[in-house]
């Protein structure tokens, strides 16, 4: 973990003039408040009576009016309970699929010798460059013929087939740092490749598995394009898609409930960030994962 | 003796090779999900989409071969395509440099060994974390709408602001701003890069009498060049692929009068609003070419301005 600390750890607090440090802190605090102001204002507005939203710039929720949340939750034909359950299901399945399928492939690339390994590895890296727009339409046609349009399958099955190859790459990098002596020791004890994968490599790879899981979750939870294309019936909507319908269905007088639901849609991603901040920052710093 | 010993040593690799072959089966079992996905969801569709790009295809009837018609129409006739390209290029050209500039500036301040680095870094990262979501796009719609937050603020000073998102003169800039607002993630990468620069260099430069400006241009910037390059390529590709903000802020239209018609949004409309799947496939291949050309150009140019520390050693 030492090289990680070198990348994202803190520098020793240096001396310097107190007034210069004070100035830097002042600037940073002002800048971060400015950055977060819109989000905080949305949060505060969601807790205000509708009439106040447009006239109140404060980010301090003086009133604590939860009416907008109640209204928003049931504003569409289908309640947000359904949308959150759908989103949670798709996101959890994507997490499981990505972690499982990518770690299996990564184990083969990092630990096993087999014919055409270099070719497959190069092809796998090649898919990283491919924008998903290229495969979009044939995939849609395929899923249409399978009768999968308007189901969750098109959003989930690709994850179980390790289509997000970036995670394979990430895991290969990590698996390679695990000493091979451990594999050999396990082999002496009678472990086959699957035993080594399951009992040696996976338990020692929790950080990279967690990173893959976290980013899979955030990306799937926020994904708008996939659900937009594949989900038609409102009972199948995920939260982002429901928010979009909400915009279309409301006039300009109903920002409160829309804000309330928007805030709720951000909560899971934000919670994941609070708990796994270090892993997220590390994932970005070390591999440029899109946050 | 040696003749006896030789076969023994020779025979040693044999079981290993056999074991390797035995591993083939296991390895392909491990690879099976990825291989299936690669052929069925990546390679197959890639080939199919290249083929479709030369056809007219509306999902209902089988694709009809059209030769280069789609590409001809795109480059010679399609004004919306040209507009989408120009909107996207402007967006990338404005947003990426500004985003990287902010990211670098804040990273430099944060790298000075201040207390609370982790805290600040987290705060600045939050917009990147949330920014791609529909929720934030919804917020942007309100903030820059006619009776939104910005205009309420302006009205305090007696200014009657326009509806920023429905005025073609300004609408794109609201999206640029949304992108620049998310400078936190390149900032995290810059911070990691700054961490790699040996402190001794600065100390040595200080002894030689270098001021902060000289230190920045002679040490920080050259040694950070690989990271700047990485961020530039990454952010540019991501910006080319941006979709959600334009879709939500413009209500799916790319309007007003196509001023926020991002390339991906145009592709989406052609495919899933007009069901011109062949044409949309051609658009996808042009997007791939643009991204490939840009990436190649960055890599080719990088040797003139990116200094990798190990070259001279």
């Amino acid at each position: 973990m030492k090289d990680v600390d070198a990348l994202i750890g803190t520098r020793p607090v240096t001396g310097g003039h107190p007034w210069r440090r004070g100035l830097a802190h002042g600037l940073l605090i002002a800048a971060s408040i400015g950055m977060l102001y819109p989000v905080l204002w949305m949060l505060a507005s969601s807790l205000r009576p509708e009439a106040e939203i447009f006239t109140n710039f404060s980010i301090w929720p003086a009133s604590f009016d939860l009416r907008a949340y109640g209204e928003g939750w049931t504003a569409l034909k289908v309640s947000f309970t359904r949308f959150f359950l759908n989103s949670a299901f798709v996101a959890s399945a994507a997490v499981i699929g990505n972690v499982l399928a990518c770690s299996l492939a990564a184990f083969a690339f990092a630990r096993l010798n087999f014919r055409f390994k270099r070719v497959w590895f190069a092809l796998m890296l090649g898919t990283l460059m491919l924008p998903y727009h290229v495969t979009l339409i044939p995939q849609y046609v395929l899923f249409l013929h399978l009768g999968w349009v308007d189901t969750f399958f098109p959003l989930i099955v690709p994850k179980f087939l390790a289509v997000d190859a970036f995670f394979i790459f990430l895991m290969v990098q990590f698996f390679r740092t695990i000493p091979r002596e451990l594999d050999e020791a396990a082999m002496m004890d009678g472990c086959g490749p699957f035993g080594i994968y399951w009992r040696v490599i996976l338990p020692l790879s929790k950080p990279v598995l967690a990173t893959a899981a976290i980013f899979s979750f955030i990306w799937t939870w926020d994904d708008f394009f996939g659900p937009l294309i594949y989900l038609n019936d409102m009972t199948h909507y995920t939260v982002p898609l429901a928010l979009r319908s909400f915009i279309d269905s409301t006039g300009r007088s109903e920002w409160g409930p829309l804000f309330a639901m928007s805030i709720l849609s951000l909560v899971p991603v934000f919670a994941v960030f609070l708990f796994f901040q270090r892993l997220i920052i590390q994932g970005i710093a070390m591999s440029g994962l899109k946050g | 003796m040696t003749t006896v010993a030789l076969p023994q040593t020779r025979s040693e690799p044999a079981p290993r090779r056999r074991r390797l072959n035995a591993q083939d089966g296991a390895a392909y079992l491990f690879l099976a999900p990825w291989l299936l996905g690669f052929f069925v969801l990546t390679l197959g569709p890639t080939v199919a989409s290249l083929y479709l790009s030369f056809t007219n295809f509306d999902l209902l009837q089988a694709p009809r071969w059209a030769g280069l018609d789609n590409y001809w129409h795109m480059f010679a006739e399609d004004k919306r395509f040209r507009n989408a390209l120009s909107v996207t290029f402007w967006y990338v050209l404005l947003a990426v440099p500004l985003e990287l500039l902010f990211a670098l500036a804040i990273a430099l301040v944060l790298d000075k060994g201040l207390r609370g680095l982790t805290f600040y870094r987290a705060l600045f990262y939050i917009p990147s974390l949330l920014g791609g979501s529909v929720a934030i796009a919804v917020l942007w719609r309100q903030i820059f709408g006619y009776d939104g937050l910005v205009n309420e603020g302006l009205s305090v000073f007696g200014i009657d602001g326009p509806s920023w998102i429905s005025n073609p003169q300004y609408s794109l800039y609201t999206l640029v701003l949304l992108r620049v607002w998310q400078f936190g993630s390149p900032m995290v990468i810059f911070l990691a890069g700054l961490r790699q620069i040996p402190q001794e260099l600065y100390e040595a430069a200080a002894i030689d009498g270098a001021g902060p400006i000289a230190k920045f241009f002679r040490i920080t910037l050259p040694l950070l060049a690989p990271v700047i390059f990485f961020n530039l390529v990454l952010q540019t590709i991501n910006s080319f692929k941006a979709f959600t903000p334009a879709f939500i802020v413009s209500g799916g239209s790319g309007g007003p009068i196509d001023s926020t018609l991002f390339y991906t949004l145009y592709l989406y409309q052609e495919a899933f609003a007009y069901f011109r799947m062949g044409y949309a496939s051609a658009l996808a291949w042009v997007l791939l070419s643009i991204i490939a050309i840009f990436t190649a150009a960055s890599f080719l140019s990088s040797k003139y301005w990116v200094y990798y520390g190990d070259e001279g050693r």
Side-chain angles (χ1 to χ4, degrees):
Chain A
M1 292 307 264
K2 198 156 177 265
D3 52 331
V4 173
D5 274 321
L7 280 176
I8 68 161
T10 48
R11 272 211 200 290
V13 175
T14 48
H17 296 290
W19 66 266
R20 282 191 66 176
R21 268 186 288 148
L23 185 73
H25 278 293
L27 270 174
L28 288 171
I29 289 171
S32 41
I33 290 176
M35 294 269 296
L36 296 181
Y37 175 77
V39 182
L40 295 173
W41 178 79
M42 177 158 75
L43 175 62
S45 294
S46 73
L47 296 167
R48 283 184 190 128
E50 189 70 42
E52 266 185 57
I53 289 184
F54 296 105
T55 50
N56 195 334
F57 303 119
S58 160
I59 55 173
W60 188 254
S63 58
F64 201 79
D65 190 339
L66 284 174
R67 256 181 308 173
Y69 285 81
E71 277 172 38
W73 195 263
T74 52
L76 297 175
K77 272 183 305 192
V78 180
S79 108
F80 266 79
T81 316
R82 178 95 243 162
F83 305 138
F84 272 92
L85 285 176
N86 289 343
S87 269
F89 174 72
V90 172
S92 326
V95 166
I96 296 169
N98 263 340
V99 169
L100 209 65
C102 292
S103 68
L104 283 170
F107 178 78
F109 283 128
R111 281 302 206 256
L112 301 175
N113 290 307
F114 52 94
R115 252 173 287 172
F116 310 122
K117 178 169 159 174
R118 280 162 181 274
V119 178
W120 293 128
F121 194 69
L123 284 171
M124 189 272 288
L125 290 181
T127 63
L128 295 179
M129 314 279 181
L130 203 67
Y132 63 83
H133 308 85
V134 171
T135 53
L136 175 71
I137 286 157
Q139 272 188 19
Y140 183 83
V141 175
L142 173 71
F143 291 140
L144 188 70
H145 282 293
L146 289 171
W148 285 2
V149 168
D150 208 19
T151 70
F152 295 139
F153 288 121
L155 306 177
I156 292 171
V157 171
K159 316 287 177 188
F160 280 88
L161 300 181
V163 170
D164 290 342
F166 187 80
F167 294 124
I168 303 182
F169 176 66
L170 204 65
M171 289 178 190
V172 168
Q173 301 286 81
F174 191 93
F175 292 173
R176 279 181 180 159
T177 64
I178 299 172
R180 273 185 182 268
E181 286 76 22
L182 296 175
D183 299 28
E184 281 153 22
M187 227 183 304
M188 300 284 188
D189 293 342
C191 272
F194 190 80
I196 297 172
Y197 162 78
W198 191 253
R199 288 159 195 264
V200 179
I201 299 293
L202 284 195
L204 288 172
S205 304
K206 278 178 197 142
V208 76
L209 299 179
T211 303
I214 291 163
F215 280 95
S216 299
F217 179 82
I218 296 177
W219 292 346
T220 320
W221 186 273
D222 277 345
D223 183 25
F224 176 63
F225 195 72
L228 177 68
I229 286 173
Y230 287 113
L231 304 178
N232 303 325
D233 194 281
M234 197 178 257
T235 53
H236 298 150
Y237 277 12
T238 57
V239 176
L241 213 49
L243 283 179
R244 181 254 177 151
S245 299
F246 203 156
I247 305 173
D248 293 346
S249 71
T250 56
R252 59 171 50 155
S253 57
E254 280 181 275
W255 283 105
L258 182 54
F259 277 2
M261 291 307 104
S262 298
I263 288 289
L264 288 183
S265 81
L266 296 174
V267 167
V269 167
F270 193 72
V272 166
F273 178 66
L274 281 187
F275 281 108
F276 301 103
Q277 202 220 103
R278 199 187 147 83
L279 276 172
I280 292 178
I281 298 283
Q282 197 176 306
I284 297 161
M286 297 182 72
S287 50
L289 280 164
K290 188 165 64 102
Chain B
M1 285 295 276
T2 49
T3 47
V4 179
L6 259 175
Q8 272 181 345
T9 50
R10 278 238 178 98
S11 73
E12 248 187 32
R16 188 178 294 166
R17 199 182 299 143
R18 214 177 300 135
R19 206 188 302 151
L20 291 187
N21 285 339
Q23 266 191 353
D24 268 5
Y28 278 97
L29 268 182
F30 277 96
L31 273 188
W34 174 77
L35 276 175
L36 187 64
F38 175 71
F39 282 108
V40 177
L41 296 176
T42 307
L43 186 64
T46 304
V47 175
S49 123
L50 186 60
Y51 165 71
L52 286 178
S53 78
F54 295 106
T55 67
N56 288 323
F57 181 42
D58 62 359
L59 276 187
L60 299 173
Q61 290 164 349
R64 270 172 301 119
W65 184 257
L68 287 170
D69 281 6
N70 284 333
Y71 292 96
W72 169 255
H73 173 65
M74 197 186 298
F75 288 104
E77 298 164 350
D78 189 356
K79 291 209 177 93
R80 287 196 91 200
F81 164 75
R82 238 172 290 164
N83 176 63
L85 264 189
S86 115
V87 165
T88 312
F89 275 121
W90 268 116
Y91 172 72
V92 172
L93 223 60
L94 286 171
V96 174
L98 277 174
E99 185 189 11
L100 294 187
L101 212 63
F102 274 103
L104 184 58
I106 301 284
L108 284 170
V109 177
L110 282 180
D111 195 49
K112 292 283 181 251
L114 285 167
R115 232 176 264 281
L117 164 74
T118 338
F119 176 67
Y120 287 126
R121 187 176 50 198
L123 287 187
F124 283 116
Y125 176 69
I126 287 173
S128 292
L129 178 80
L130 307 176
S133 64
V134 171
I136 295 299
V138 164
L139 174 63
W140 236 247
R141 249 174 98 100
Q142 200 287 337
I143 292 181
F144 292 101
Y146 180 67
D147 47 9
L149 188 63
V150 168
N151 282 350
E152 285 299 322
L154 287 175
S155 71
V156 172
F157 304 100
I159 303 170
D160 187 20
S163 168
W164 305 91
I165 57 162
S166 46
N167 183 326
Q169 247 184 310
Y170 306 114
S171 50
L172 184 61
Y173 299 111
T174 64
L175 296 178
V176 169
L177 200 66
L178 175 54
R179 180 80 206 184
V180 176
W181 183 61
Q182 301 172 50
F183 67 76
S185 113
M187 180 202 75
V188 168
I189 299 174
F190 276 136
L191 267 173
L194 288 170
R195 227 22 83 74
Q196 307 283 62
I197 301 175
Q199 284 299 296
E200 300 85 56
L201 290 178
Y202 293 105
E203 285 154 20
I207 293 169
D208 290 344
I213 294 172
K215 280 185 198 165
F216 175 72
F217 283 104
R218 300 275 172 101
I219 302 174
T220 312
L221 212 52
L223 287 178
L224 205 59
V227 182
I228 298 175
F229 172 70
F230 176 73
N231 262 335
L232 184 68
V233 173
L234 200 70
Q235 297 305 327
T236 306
I237 293 177
N238 285 344
S239 307
F240 267 119
K241 293 199 256 181
F243 175 80
T244 309
F247 186 97
I248 296 295
V249 170
S250 73
S253 68
I257 56 168
D258 285 351
S259 60
T260 59
L261 186 71
F262 280 14
Y263 194 92
T264 50
L265 188 48
Y266 183 48
L267 195 156
Y268 166 81
Q269 289 182 355
E270 284 294 317
F272 297 99
Y274 306 120
F275 293 100
R276 292 195 275 258
M277 296 280 178
Y279 193 56
S281 301
L283 285 172
W285 276 86
V286 170
L287 176 68
L288 173 65
S289 317
I290 293 172
I291 291 180
I293 290 170
F294 178 85
T295 313
S298 320
F299 272 95
L300 288 177
S301 73
S302 70
K303 67 174 173 218
Y304 298 108
W305 61 277
V306 175
Y307 164 77
Y308 292 98
D310 49 357
E311 274 166 15
R313 284 172 205 172

